[in-house]
């Protein structure tokens, strides 16, 4: 697992890159976590107060209690409501 910090400009570049797909956005009080796929790589991007993000990848670990990873669940929800593939 890799953990990196992106400044606001780098995060904007990642977020707007055509290779980036937003699977889900989760709000935890005043902090937003983005569930992203970039070139097939599962990424979590946790927004920081400076407009950047802490990026964690790869995030493919299977959670036995919930029956999959956060990306697996986001994809299933997107398929179920027709908003994704």
């Amino acid at each position: 697992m890799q953990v990196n910090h992106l400044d606001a400009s780098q995060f904007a570049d990642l977020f707007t890159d055509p290779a980036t797909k937003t699977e889900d956005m989760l709000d935890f009080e005043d902090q937003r976590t983005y569930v992203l796929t970039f070139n097939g790589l599962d990424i979590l991007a946790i927004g920081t107060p400076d407009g950047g993000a802490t990026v964690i990848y790869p995030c493919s670990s299977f959670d036995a209690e919930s029956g999959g990873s956060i990306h697996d669940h986001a994809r299933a929800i997107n398929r179920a409501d027709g908003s994704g593939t």
Side-chain angles (χ1 to χ4, degrees):
M1 175 174 57
Q2 297 283 331
V3 178
N4 292 322
H5 179 75
L6 302 180
D7 64 26
S9 177
Q10 293 168 318
F11 184 42
D13 289 344
L14 170 68
F15 201 75
T16 59
D17 190 303
T20 301
K21 179 180 178 188
T22 302
E23 303 285 352
D24 204 354
M25 291 182 287
L26 308 166
D27 289 320
F28 301 102
E29 297 183 20
D30 61 347
Q31 188 171 38
R32 177 167 280 179
T33 298
Y34 300 88
V35 181
L36 305 172
T37 303
F38 177 74
N39 283 334
L41 182 66
D42 289 341
I43 298 172
L44 291 179
I46 303 163
T48 56
D50 63 1
T54 298
V55 177
I56 305 166
Y57 62 93
C59 293
S60 58
S61 61
F62 185 85
D63 182 349
E65 288 183 20
S66 66
S69 73
I70 191 169
H71 287 83
D72 294 334
H73 292 293
R75 288 184 192 84
I77 290 166
N78 288 341
R79 277 192 305 271
D81 71 12
S83 63
T85 57

